[in-house]
Amino acid sequence: MKLSVIVPTYNEAPNIQELVHRIATICSDIEAEIIFVDDSTDSTPTTIQQAAAISALPVRMFHRQEPIGGLSGAVIEGITASHADYCLVMDGDLQHPPEMIPVMLAQLENSASDVAIASRYCGEGSSNAGLSGTYRRMVSKASTMVTRSLFPVRLKGCSDPMTGFFAIRRTSIDVAALRPTGFKILLEILARQPLKIVEIPFIFGQRFAGSSKATMSQGLRFIRQVGELRVGRIGLFAVVGAIGTVLNLSIMATLLMFGTHYVVAAIAAAELTILTNFLMQERLVFKRARHSAASTRTRFLQSVGFNNAEALLRLPVLVFLVEILLINSVVAQAGTLAAAFGLRYLFHTKVVYLARPQIEPAVEDAISKGPALSRPDSEKLSPAQP
Ligand code: GDD
Ligand code: MN
């Protein structure tokens, strides 16, 4: 197989028939297949089966029971399921013109590039038709600019790291290194590994039918993704710690203003920030890891327990360092804070959010439920080959 066209779908029923027809028409001379990775709650899976039955190209579908990683997770599952030389990723709503597929494939075949990116922001490319409203256009341009400046080396030569339309040489990317979340899978791929890029301008069109699945929470996911790519998980953990410290001091100052005794105020501030830190780290630092870790209750008890023990122990350790080992108190305090941070990070990654062993890997699990979902059955979607 030369090419797998990977299409992530979430409630795209009215677009499927047209999409399959246009991909099959333009790829009639290419040894290609279409892989749908579907998380829909509407009739999309049935529509895919119907379209597959009359399609000239083989069609496979993975309907996921658990939509881990959303759009990006779906793309990764599609790439994992492919055995083709090249994988091309495109949306299922026809904002990405299927007629570009041979052009992008040719770029990869005729150059030493690993990724061919259909860009809205180079040459004759444009996003005006596809992005509804000035607000979304501005957000898209601004976030593209910020992201490019944060990754000047890896995104060199890429004017549109946020596009969802690109083709890759399958063996040139390391799927295991990726942490898919949200909508920006290309950014994840480019930021994690050095790849040779070629760009092709394209016009991001209007949806054929239905409406965008992008939400505010996708925006927040994107910010977290950029943070993790730039400073790593330990960096995000440190950011949570820093916010916690500011919060701690503000709570303490407020309580003092109301005449609370300083010891009571310090304890109350510590306990409250232990709670807010837990909430922040669940959402910001370990959002993906928590799905395969212990239950929320266990994570909460372990995290709060550790942080309380740490807060209690830090003072006696400081006294020991200063009184017995005669270390300068400021140096000793800096040491205890640094050690506490390191231990806290280790405890959270190695205990609280450690992945529990699972009976089956997520991908196998997700595709082995229900008739249209298993690999053999998904193969059956394809008609006899011409
Ligand atoms: N499997 C799966 N799971 N597919 C999803 C999910 C999900 O959770 N969420 C969205 N999709 C599918 C949609 O069904 C569609 O085929 C494709 O992903 C893109 O979703 P849209 O809802 O059409 O997104 P958009 O048009 O707002 O955003 C597109 O353009 C952006 C550039 O402005 C996407 O290509 C983005 O990746 C891109 O950044
Ligand atoms: Mn779209």
Side-chain angles (χ1 to χ4, degrees), residues 7-215:
V7 188
T9 45
Y10 180 70
N11 296 351
E12 300 289 1
N15 294 314
I16 301 299
Q17 211 113 40
E18 177 76 8
L19 179 75
V20 171
H21 172 69
R22 275 171 62 183
I23 297 176
T25 306
I26 197 72
C27 292
S28 59
D29 292 334
I30 303 169
E31 200 201 336
E33 64 172 350
I34 308 175
I35 300 180
F36 284 100
V37 187
D38 180 62
D39 294 326
S40 298
T41 51
D42 72 350
S43 60
T44 304
T46 325
T47 319
I48 293 175
Q49 277 166 323
Q50 287 163 352
I54 52 165
S55 157
L57 280 193
V59 177
R60 292 200 273 159
M61 171 177 67
F62 300 113
H63 179 81
R64 305 196 299 170
Q65 299 294 313
E66 239 186 300
I68 298 170
L71 164 52
S72 293
V75 168
I76 294 305
E77 286 201 21
I79 296 175
T80 310
S82 164
H83 300 288
D85 299 339
Y86 303 97
C87 289
L88 182 143
V89 178
M90 67 188 295
D91 291 351
D93 56 3
L94 291 156
Q95 287 194 278
H96 298 154
E99 292 65 33
M100 295 276 299
I101 296 174
V103 183
M104 292 159 75
L105 183 63
Q107 286 282 352
L108 281 185
E109 284 186 299
N110 302 331
S111 72
S113 302
D114 304 302
V115 202
I117 297 170
S119 167
R120 300 163 293 172
Y121 301 128
C122 77
E124 301 296 297
S126 149
S127 67
N128 290 346
L131 291 179
S132 50
T134 327
Y135 173 70
R136 224 192 133 178
R137 263 175 248 160
M138 257 167 50
V139 170
S140 172
K141 287 214 169 105
S143 54
T144 300
M145 225 170 67
V146 172
T147 309
R148 288 188 64 198
S149 60
L150 284 171
F151 303 92
V153 178
R154 290 284 160 87
L155 297 185
K156 193 163 181 260
C158 174
S159 58
D160 193 359
M162 319 295 204
T163 183
F165 197 15
F166 60 94
I168 53 160
R169 199 179 296 279
R170 188 176 57 85
T171 48
S172 63
I173 71 159
D174 177 12
V175 170
L178 304 174
R179 303 276 169 269
T181 171
F183 269 39
K184 311 303 179 191
I185 182 61
L186 178 63
L187 172 65
E188 184 73 24
I189 292 173
L190 296 179
R192 297 255 186 219
Q193 46 216 320
L195 294 167
K196 276 197 78 179
I197 296 169
V198 59
E199 284 198 319
I200 306 117
F202 93 106
I203 293 172
F204 188 54
Q206 281 182 352
R207 267 183 163 264
F208 184 70
S211 54
S212 168
K213 314 299 182 302
T215 54

